[in-house]
Amino acid sequence: KQEVTQIPAALSVPEGENLVLNCSFTDSAIYNLQWFRQDPGKGLTSLLLIQSSQREQTSGRLNASLDKSSGRSTLYIAASQPGDSATYLCADWVTGANSKLTFGKGITLSVRP
Amino acid sequence: DTAVSQTPKYLVTQMGNDKSIKCEQNLGHDTMYWYKQDSKKFLKIMFSYNNKELIINETVPNRFSPKSPDKAHLNLHINSLELGDSAVYFCASSLSNVAEQYFGPGTRLTVT
């Protein structure tokens, strides 16, 4: 059974700092890994999808990497801004029939002005 | 243009009632999902439909019955609501069952 872990559960940083959010998973036989952002009381917004054959994906100030052999993914946020404050969740699909998305519990990020 | 929409956004009801949540996607996707986010914010899949066929049923009580009248719609009907059903329910869709998923805004269900 796939388990996805995100530590720490919460993080507070000053504006402008570059930061890394970590995600680890127990089963390395994954199809894809997806990073989401959730604002309070809102739905999930897809940030980046990394396919199993890829090592990283970039979108603006965000860069996500995937290392299947070590069971880890990281989301790098450059030059953080108060608007980046949200909960960031990673989720992946394990290979096999009827694969489903398994979520971590998320990291709540607060960027202080 | 809303990609994945859900109605209602909020639902407050009493124990024992039956209620439905509707979901529609205009992305042309083949696969749709229902997720439950509990009070600890943990998100877990409940059901998945591909081309109107149920492909994942995650040991959800049979009081929950999804229905997909067509590929663009996936509704969730809940019978005999219980206090423990209070949560935020999210609908999502994707091109295939391992493709990028797009989520709706959620329905906050409160059972009193």
Side-chain angles (χ1 to χ4, degrees), chain A residues 2 15 25 31 35 40-41 46 48-49 58 60 66 85 91 100-101:
Chain A
Q2 177 72 298
E15 181 176 4
F25 43 92
Y31 279 123
W35 281 92
S46 178
L48 290 163
L49 174 79
T58 299
L66 175 63
S85 299
K100 64 187 181 195
L101 204 54

Side-chain angles (χ1 to χ4, degrees), chain B residues 12-64:
Chain B
V12 181
T13 188
Q14 292 184 328
M15 284 175 56
N17 285 349
D18 303 338
K19 291 293 178 186
S20 292
I21 307 172
K22 295 186 176 182
C23 177
E24 176 180 2
Q25 54 96 2
N26 63 4
L27 298 167
H29 289 165
D30 287 338
T31 310
M32 295 186 72
Y33 312 82
W34 277 109
Y35 287 88
K36 179 180 181 180
Q37 189 171 44
D38 60 26
S39 56
K40 296 183 180 178
K41 308 298 182 187
F42 189 49
L43 201 63
K44 190 173 179 188
I45 191 167
M46 300 172 68
F47 301 103
S48 173
Y49 270 73
N50 189 53
N51 280 321
K52 301 194 298 175
E53 281 195 36
L54 180 67
I55 57 172
I56 292 176
N57 181 342
E58 279 292 293
T59 59
V60 178
N62 57 16
R63 298 183 295 104
F64 291 78

Side-chain angles (χ1 to χ4, degrees), chain A:
Chain A
K1 178 186 172 184
Q2 177 72 298
E3 290 184 9
V4 179
T5 303
Q6 294 183 256
I7 296 173
L11 189 60
S12 180
V13 300
E15 181 176 4
E17 196 164 292
N18 301 325
L19 55 103
V20 174
L21 306 182
N22 293 308
C23 171
S24 62
F25 43 92
T26 53
D27 189 337
S28 61
I30 63 171
Y31 279 123
N32 303 320
L33 185 140
Q34 191 168 358
W35 281 92
F36 295 88
R37 168 184 173 141
Q38 185 174 26
D39 292 282
K42 304 286 187 182
L44 278 71
T45 300
S46 178
L47 296 174
L48 290 163
L49 174 79
I50 311 176
Q51 296 179 353
S52 60
S53 58
Q54 298 174 322
R55 295 297 299 266
E56 64 180 293
Q57 280 284 354
T58 299
S59 175
R61 294 183 294 109
L62 305 180
N63 175 277
S65 66
L66 175 63
D67 184 345
K68 286 171 53 178
S69 61
S70 66
R72 293 187 180 203
S73 175
T74 61
L75 179 67
Y76 175 81
I77 303 177
S80 59
Q81 303 170 358
D84 294 330
S85 299
T87 297
Y88 292 81
L89 300 104
C90 71
D92 65 20
W93 292 259
V94 174
T95 55
N98 298 330
S99 184
K100 64 187 181 195
L101 204 54
T102 300
F103 279 85
K105 292 187 178 182
I107 298 174
T108 299
L109 173 67
S110 174
V111 181
R112 308 186 301 270

Side-chain angles (χ1 to χ4, degrees), chain B residues 64-85:
Chain B
F64 291 78
S65 53
K67 284 195 171 45
S68 182
D70 55 56
K71 283 196 332 180
H73 295 85
L74 180 62
N75 304 322
L76 183 65
H77 188 75
I78 315 170
N79 289 327
S80 304
L81 278 155
E82 301 177 356
L83 292 176
D85 297 332

